Amino acid sequence: GESVGLHLPTLSVQEGDNSIINCAYSNSASDYFIWYKQESGKGPQFIIDIRSNMDKRQGQRVTVLLNKTVKHLSLQIAATQPGDSAVYFCAEKNTGNQFYFGTGTSLTVIP
Amino acid sequence: GAVVSQHPSWVICKSGTSVKIECRSLDFQATTMFWYRQFPKQSLMLMATSNEGSKATYEQGVEKDKFLINHASLTLSTLTVTSAHPEDSSFYICSARDGRVHYGYTFGSGTRLTVV
């Protein structure tokens, strides 16, 4: 089902450091996961995805890790830049092709 | 890549009026579109799944008579907020599934609705 958060967790990192954003998902039958970045007043922007038959996937400066045992996703951003400041959501896809979003984490990069 | 256009991007309306939001897939046919609502500092909440040529499937707790969804063509889905009230003020976002691509889902840029 849906996950609604009343307060967004926040993460502040120094420019150049690595960031790790975590997400717990709810449905063990979910077979596909996406990390999205959302800037203020805009729609979600795709960052990276991973299927349930994988446990790690790497993109440019980003890595997603999937631990199905504990239903946990993480997004690692290498050498974080000011432009990475945004809210990050994980989304899980159920077998009905519907996506449900996690609470979100607000990332602030300190120059 | 796949592009989804949402219109309008921002709308202010008076309480009691109805507002229509359009979601278009510009360069692909979307057999399925999804509508989300997002309140400030909160996550996206799936409202309904819209299938071309058939009735939308609403999530539990979403009033189908208040949020009318029409998916009349493979490139257009509309969400009409009927008799809008201030508590309907929110950010509404659609996404469309590109059937050409396995796991191809693209989001629109969202519509900010303010009901006064």
Side-chain angles (χ1 to χ4, degrees):
Chain A
E2 305 168 41
S3 175
V4 177
L6 296 179
H7 301 284
L8 284 175
T10 58
L11 174 67
S12 295
V13 299
Q14 291 285 341
E15 181 178 358
D17 287 352
N18 297 333
S19 302
I20 299 177
I21 301 171
N22 296 303
C23 175
Y25 63 94
S26 57
N27 188 348
S28 58
S30 293
D31 59 4
Y32 178 59
F33 305 87
I34 301 179
W35 276 102
Y36 286 98
K37 173 186 179 182
Q38 186 180 29
E39 296 174 339
S40 182
K42 297 182 179 179
Q45 176 187 356
F46 174 94
I47 300 175
I48 192 169
D49 59 355
I50 189 168
R51 301 183 189 184
S52 59
N53 62 352
M54 304 169 69
D55 53 22
K56 180 178 180 180
R57 188 154 191 242
Q58 287 185 292
Q60 189 176 15
R61 281 203 308 122
V62 293
T63 301
V64 55
L65 299 177
L66 173 62
N67 185 331
K68 294 184 290 295
T69 302
V70 295
K71 293 188 286 187
H72 183 267
L73 272 170
S74 69
L75 175 70
Q76 300 176 4
I77 305 174
T80 314
Q81 303 167 359
D84 295 328
S85 293
V87 177
Y88 290 81
F89 294 98
C90 69
E92 58 180 306
K93 185 186 78 66
N94 65 9
T95 52
N97 291 323
Q98 294 153 327
F99 278 94
Y100 294 97
F101 283 72
T103 305
T105 297
S106 177
L107 174 67
T108 300
V109 181
I110 304 166
Chain B
V3 178
V4 172
S5 173
Q6 209 171 320
H7 178 80
S9 57
W10 191 10
V11 56
I12 302 174
C13 71
K14 290 185 177 180
S15 186
T17 60
S18 296
V19 174
K20 180 185 285 188
I21 302 169
E22 293 185 349
C23 179
R24 293 182 184 272
S25 56
L26 297 187
D27 51 358
F28 66 98
Q29 294 183 330
T31 54
T32 307
M33 290 185 173
F34 305 89
W35 287 96
Y36 294 83
R37 179 169 55 183
Q38 184 179 33
F39 292 109
K41 297 191 183 302
Q42 292 191 22
S43 187
L44 283 76
M45 294 171 50
L46 179 63
M47 299 174 66
T49 302
S50 168
N51 295 300
E52 186 265 338
S54 64
K55 291 184 178 180
T57 303
Y58 290 81
E59 293 296 298
Q60 191 173 9
V62 177
E63 301 174 60
K64 62 179 68 174
D65 294 331
K66 180 166 185 63
F67 299 100
L68 301 179
I69 292 172
N70 185 285
H71 193 160
S73 78
L74 286 171
T75 58
L76 174 64
S77 175
T78 60
L79 168 68
T80 301
V81 183
T82 62
S83 186
H85 290 98
E87 56 266 30
D88 298 323
S89 298
S90 186
F91 194 51
Y92 292 87
I93 306 171
C94 71
S95 75
R97 183 182 179 201
D98 183 352
R100 302 168 302 176
V101 180
H102 200 41
Y103 296 123
Y105 298 86
T106 302
F107 280 82
S109 55
T111 297
R112 183 163 303 284
L113 170 63
T114 302
V115 184
V116 297

